[in-house]
Structures are given as C-alpha cells and as structure tokens.
Amino acid sequence: MKDPITISITGAAGQIGYALLFRIASGAMFGVDQPVSLRLIEIEPGMKALAGVVMELDDCAFPLLHSIEATSDLNVGFTGANWALLVGSVPRGPGMERKDLLQVNGKIFTNQGQAIAANAANDIRTLVVGNPCNTNALIAMNNASGVPKERFFAMTRLDENRAKSQLAAKAGCHHSEVSNLCIWGNHSATQYPDFIHAKIKGQPVTNVISDGAWLEGEFISQVQQRGAAIIQARGASSAASAANGVVDTVRSLTTPTPKGDWTSVAVCSDGAYGIEKDLIASMPIRTEDGKSWDVVRDLEIDPFSQSKIDITVKELCEERAAVKDLIKVDS
C-alpha cells in the first residue's frame, strides 16, 4: 500500500464539497490503491454541518481513507497538503456587480494563497473551483510566494464535459466518442467551446455535424449558459456535475493523456496563442507522466475561433484589472 497523500478541500460542507468528498475517499480521484488523508476546511458557521459530513465519512468505512481533520483555520487546513481543492467561495448576491464579487472573493483567495505557501507540502498543486475561478486562481497564485505558477489551475472540465454531451446528443453517439474538445478562456458566459478541433469517432466534428449554424450559435450558447439553465431547473447551482469535473480534472493532471487527445484546464499563460502572459486561461493541455503538463501548441486557430478567444481573454484582462490591488503582475 502506498503512503497516504493529503488533500485539503475548502467549502467542504457545501453542496459541491459534499458531492466530492466521498468520491475522493472511495478512490475515484487518485486510484483504488492510493490512501488519502482529508483536511476539510470550512468557515466557522459551517463547522457544525462539517461535523455531520465527517460522521458520514466515518460511517462509510472507506478502506482508502487514512485520516480526516476538520478545521476553520487555514494554516491547519493546508498543513502538508499535496493537493488543495479550493471549492468554497462567496456566491453572487442580489445587487452585486461582478467587480464586487471579485473583490469579496479576492480577499478570501489572497489568504488561502498565503496559507498554502506557508503550510503545504513542497509538491503542492492547487485547483480552484470557487467562482470566478480563473481570477480567484490568479489571486491565490500571486499570493503563494515560492509556489511555482504551473502548480495552479482553474476548472473548466465541467464545461468540457457539458460540450461533449451536447455534441454527442446532436450527433446521436455516446459522449465517450467525442475527443479533442477544448474550452478556451474564462469559466464564464464568454468561454469558447472549440468545436473546430473537436472530433467524433476520430472525425472532425464539422464532418459529422453539418449544421454549421447550430455549431456556431446554439451549441456555444448552450454550453455557456448551461449553469444558469441548471439553476433555473433545480433551484440550485451545479453540484454533483461540478464535483465530477473536479475528479476528472485531477485525474487528467495525474495520469497520462490518451494519445492524440487533450483536455481543458485553465493554467497560467506563457503567451501561447497570443493569450496575455500570466493570465489564468483555459487551453488544451496534455500530460505525459501525470506529473507535469504542457499546452498543446500546434493548433491552427481560424478567424471565427480567434474572435471568440479574443472576447473571453478580454474579459479575463478586465477581471485582472478589477483586482489589481490583490495581485503582483510581473513587469
């Protein structure tokens, strides 16, 4: 049996956290031979609910679950963490502008970045889920002194999964037959689900789905607005599907990418595809060994796709400007 790895999860008693913890403890994220220690972090008002979650985890008697610690102290919560899953964030309330939400959450992720840098293990990797996740990741990254930038990610895998599901439904195939689907840019209503490079059964999507108007219109808007549609339908935001996206993201970053394919995750840009350096932007990613990742760099971007990428990158730049007091941008 391997030595346990430590995973710290913020917002652990929330809906996404609740859906996520049992899958981690069961081996869905790191494999059925990898023991895990969970450090569950909540704000003080959520600690009672978190105690109930810990009871349920205990009652499952998961063979892989080595230990659990529940805390509201960030320094305790991130001690020894190999992975930090930053799920918790303040939701947008009535009358709040996006810039207000960025400022409120920005202070939270400033503190979390600092606590990660001070307490986590040397190999710490951080995935930000709490929205607006790209810019929250940017803030945490810039406040985690000494932690390499390539260790920070923001989740767009849920959007990738949504896009694959929509394409599969349109083509009348199983979603597992859709590959090479990239989400570009921001996890927001400006994101671009790239159908140009995607494939269905190894063939370009545009060869399989002849309805170009649907691809350029309804398909993109359905993916962009899927979260809002779920809220309207169930009266609450995505939880189980978001937790599944977290599991998929970490699995993709810790196992080799299938040959010829790629996946979507927001990473710190090095200027690839003209995306401004140091933005946290979603791009096509591959990993060879499950330890390091690379941007897929050989894609030709057509004018339609470029126009969509430009829109979402512009939004990321605007978000960065709104929290400039919380980050240090290299000159």
Side-chain angles (χ1 to χ4, degrees):
M1 186 70 75
K2 298 177 180 177
D3 291 333
I5 60 172
T6 299
I7 305 100
S8 298
I9 303 102
T10 68
Q15 288 198 64
I16 297 174
Y18 185 79
L20 175 62
L21 297 179
F22 299 88
R23 296 195 63 193
I24 298 173
S26 69
M29 181 174 282
F30 294 101
V32 296
D33 62 344
Q34 178 60 67
V36 295
S37 293
L38 299 181
R39 289 185 172 269
L40 310 182
I41 304 170
E42 261 297 348
I43 57 175
E44 192 58 43
M47 289 303 293
K48 183 178 179 180
L50 185 57
V53 175
V54 172
M55 291 180 197
E56 286 203 76
L57 285 165
D58 285 338
D59 291 350
C60 288
F62 287 115
L64 294 172
L65 184 51
H66 182 263
S67 65
I68 311 169
E69 178 150 8
T71 183
S72 60
D73 185 324
L74 293 179
N75 291 314
V76 173
F78 290 119
T79 294
N82 305 108
W83 272 92
L85 308 177
L86 307 187
V87 177
S89 64
V90 176
R92 190 168 179 170
M96 286 184 71
E97 299 290 340
R98 189 172 180 85
K99 64 181 180 180
D100 300 325
L101 183 64
L102 286 164
Q103 283 291 332
V104 170
N105 277 307
K107 295 171 184 176
I108 294 170
F109 285 84
T110 294
N111 293 335
Q112 290 179 359
Q114 292 169 352
I116 287 169
N119 299 283
N122 290 334
D123 65 348
I124 180 66
R125 286 191 271 182
T126 299
L127 173 64
V128 179
V129 181
N131 286 318
C133 64
N134 292 60
T135 299
N136 287 340
L138 180 73
I139 293 166
M141 179 185 75
N142 277 276
N143 283 277
S145 179
V147 181
K149 292 179 178 180
E150 63 268 20
R151 304 266 191 86
F152 282 85
F153 311 90
M155 188 176 80
T156 54
R157 183 59 172 268
L158 173 57
D159 307 302
E160 177 187 328
N161 290 344
R162 287 167 168 168
K164 286 181 174 178
S165 177
Q166 295 294 328
L167 290 174
K170 184 72 171 179
C173 69
H174 194 263
H175 55 78
S176 64
E177 296 175 300
V178 182
S179 65
N180 300 91
L181 194 292
C182 174
I183 301 295
W184 293 92
N186 201 4
H187 173 65
S188 74
T190 68
Q191 64 180 263
Y192 172 51
D194 183 356
F195 62 87
I196 298 293
H197 295 99
K199 297 178 181 179
I200 295 175
K201 299 181 181 180
Q203 298 297 313
V205 163
T206 50
N207 289 358
V208 178
I209 299 174
S210 59
D211 190 346
W214 180 83
L215 287 169
E216 293 186 4
E218 187 177 345
F219 164 67
I220 294 174
S221 63
Q222 280 180 338
V223 177
Q224 291 174 335
Q225 300 296 331
R226 185 69 167 184
I230 289 171
I231 291 172
Q232 185 175 13
R234 70 182 292 262
S237 59
S238 305
S241 59
N244 182 69
V246 178
V247 173
D248 285 349
T249 301
V250 175
R251 288 289 289 172
S252 291
L253 289 169
T254 54
T255 57
T257 306
K259 187 175 181 180
D261 204 356
W262 54 71
T263 189
S264 305
V265 64
V267 297
C268 184
S269 173
D270 64 359
Y273 296 103
I275 297 172
E276 191 168 334
K277 188 178 180 182
D278 290 332
L279 287 176
I280 299 287
S282 186
M283 290 178 255
I285 300 299
R286 286 194 187 114
T287 178
E288 297 292 334
D289 56 8
K291 296 180 180 179
S292 59
W293 56 266
D294 292 300
V295 175
V296 178
R297 298 180 184 272
D298 54 356
L299 302 181
E300 293 186 12
I301 308 299
D302 67 290
F304 176 83
S305 297
Q306 188 64 61
S307 68
K308 297 297 184 182
I309 293 170
D310 288 346
I311 290 170
T312 193
V313 170
K314 180 175 182 290
E315 182 181 56
L316 286 172
C317 290
E318 291 169 350
E319 288 187 7
R320 183 178 63 183
V323 295
K324 63 182 179 181
D325 56 320
L326 301 176
I327 63 175
K328 305 177 186 70
V329 179
D330 294 336
S331 58

